[in-house]
Amino acid sequence: MTEICRALSEIGIPFDVEGNRIRCFPHVVNITVKTGLKDLCELPSYAPDIVEDNNCNVIPQSLRDNIEYWRALECDPVAEARALVTACRASGQRREAFKDIIKAGNEAGGFGDPAGPLREVGLLKDVETRWSATFLMIDRLLEQYLAVDQFLDDPAQDEISWHRLSPITLKVLHDIRRLLQIPHIVQEIVSAEKTPTLSSVLPMYEKLIIMLKDLSRELDELSIGINAIIRKLEEYLNLSRRTKAYALAMGDYVFLFKYHSSSDLVTVLNPTIKLRWLGQHWEEEDVDNAKSAIRTAVSNVH
């Protein structure tokens, strides 16, 4: 960004490094989710007198009262799920054997009580750099777990049967799935939009934070991780408020900007959002700064 600023300044185009920095929204969400999962897995070993985790976060009473849940979090249920998926997918033979289990179970009437069919699909392994990969891995594993359980019963899979998940670990994974589903849905909304989405990013930040706060009250045992995600999102939201481009994308007026090297005209403001949202959600000083940035940008158009 500094080099861009220098190059543009040399040809007389003003450019503010901080005011034009636009962060990738799905990437930011991915970072915040990893932060929350990390905090969940850094609980100290259970003891009745412990009231704070290793990061000085207060441990909720509901978790202190639920020793099984605490100890399941200590064991890192996401890592346990990843190890199980990796073991089941370790070879082509295992992958085919797993699909055969699903097919045979469906032909026999299905899985569970009441019995129902499962999709004939394989398990998914998460990828460090892929957005929502952890959610998708857990979601698929829980969807197919009845088949996984039968698969691990096969004598041919004795060497990996120890990866079977306990009932409490499955319960914790179901809760973590609910947590991860919220940022996943928000990412999907932004990524699926065919029109420019910069004007929707700040409202998405705010909406995501509100939904996570509501979930924190429902899943109090996971509130340490949820609150870590919220704090990280608020940190990025505050940084984004310094970026004038967001305010410009949500401004009061539609204007056309003519590129120096082209006669193409591009609409850079979204007239359907305007500054109403900022006025409803931001402090007065921040709104005034946004309006000032828009007026400055408009006055520089010629």
Side-chain angles (χ1 to χ4, degrees):
M1 293 288 282
T2 302
E3 182 61 25
I4 292 174
C5 181
R6 185 195 63 76
L8 291 177
S9 296
E10 288 179 355
I11 58 175
I13 298 177
F15 185 86
D16 178 17
V17 173
E18 188 63 34
N20 287 282
R21 183 175 180 181
I22 300 174
R23 293 168 177 84
C24 174
F25 179 73
H27 181 61
V28 167
V29 172
N30 197 37
I31 291 173
T32 63
V33 166
K34 288 181 178 179
T35 300
L37 292 177
K38 181 173 178 288
D39 275 25
L40 281 177
C41 298
E42 290 184 345
L43 281 172
S45 298
Y46 174 79
D49 58 338
I50 293 180
V51 295
E52 291 185 346
D53 68 5
N54 297 326
N55 298 310
C56 299
N57 299 310
V58 175
I59 298 174
Q61 187 63 47
S62 59
L63 182 56
R64 294 170 61 196
D65 292 339
N66 194 337
I67 301 174
E68 279 193 325
Y69 204 102
W70 183 323
R71 287 181 171 154
L73 285 173
E74 277 185 65
C75 295
D76 193 345
V78 175
E80 289 187 82
R82 184 179 298 114
L84 172 57
V85 169
T86 300
C88 292
R89 289 174 46 89
S91 68
Q93 287 181 325
R94 282 185 187 165
R95 291 193 292 272
E96 286 303 314
F98 179 69
K99 289 184 180 179
D100 289 342
I101 288 286
I102 298 176
K103 185 175 181 181
N106 286 341
E107 290 174 351
F111 296 82
D113 184 19
L118 293 178
R119 291 191 299 154
E120 294 184 20
V121 293
L123 299 175
L124 298 174
K125 182 137 186 306
D126 60 344
V127 179
E128 181 73 16
T129 55
R130 183 183 174 189
W131 305 324
S132 294
T134 303
F135 165 77
L136 295 172
M137 177 186 71
I138 294 173
D139 185 56
R140 179 66 61 82
L141 175 61
L142 294 177
E143 175 194 341
Q144 304 288 67
Y145 194 75
L146 292 174
V148 171
D149 211 31
Q150 285 193 22
F151 178 67
L152 296 177
D153 284 338
D154 186 340
Q157 310 305 332
D158 279 348
E159 65 177 298
I160 65 170
S161 61
W162 64 274
H163 284 290
R164 194 189 310 269
L165 302 177
S166 67
I168 186 61
T169 299
L170 287 170
K171 166 69 170 74
V172 175
L173 283 173
H174 275 284
D175 290 346
I176 290 176
R177 178 193 178 279
R178 286 186 62 192
L179 164 59
L180 299 183
Q181 187 176 31
I182 292 176
H184 169 69
I185 290 173
V186 172
Q187 285 178 335
E188 289 291 289
I189 292 172
V190 174
S191 301
E193 181 58 55
K194 302 303 181 184
T195 57
T197 56
L198 184 60
S199 57
S200 67
V201 167
L202 293 184
M204 283 295 185
Y205 270 122
E206 300 277 7
K207 185 63 176 176
L208 181 52
I209 290 171
I210 290 171
M211 289 191 292
L212 288 172
K213 286 181 177 179
D214 290 341
L215 185 67
S216 181
R217 288 187 283 271
E218 291 183 43
L219 299 179
D220 193 44
E221 291 89 345
L222 296 182
S223 61
I224 286 177
I226 298 173
N227 291 334
I229 296 175
I230 291 171
R231 287 193 299 271
K232 202 68 175 176
L233 283 170
E234 288 176 337
E235 177 184 327
Y236 277 104
L237 177 58
N238 288 332
L239 289 173
S240 297
R241 284 176 175 170
R242 303 176 191 172
T243 301
K244 298 175 183 178
Y246 291 109
L248 291 173
M250 302 170 68
D252 275 317
Y253 309 101
V254 176
F255 68 91
L256 298 178
F257 179 87
K258 181 178 289 186
Y259 285 114
H260 283 261
S261 59
S262 169
S263 60
D264 294 333
L265 297 178
V266 182
T267 302
V268 298
L269 295 188
N270 188 329
T272 65
I273 297 180
K274 303 185 178 181
L275 282 174
R276 288 191 302 272
W277 184 89
L278 298 182
Q280 294 167 0
H281 295 85
W282 283 16
E283 298 293 333
E284 184 177 353
E285 181 180 355
D286 292 328
V287 176
D288 289 342
N289 289 337
K291 289 180 178 179
S292 176
I294 291 172
R295 293 191 188 98
T296 299
V298 172
S299 66
N300 287 336
V301 175
H302 48 89

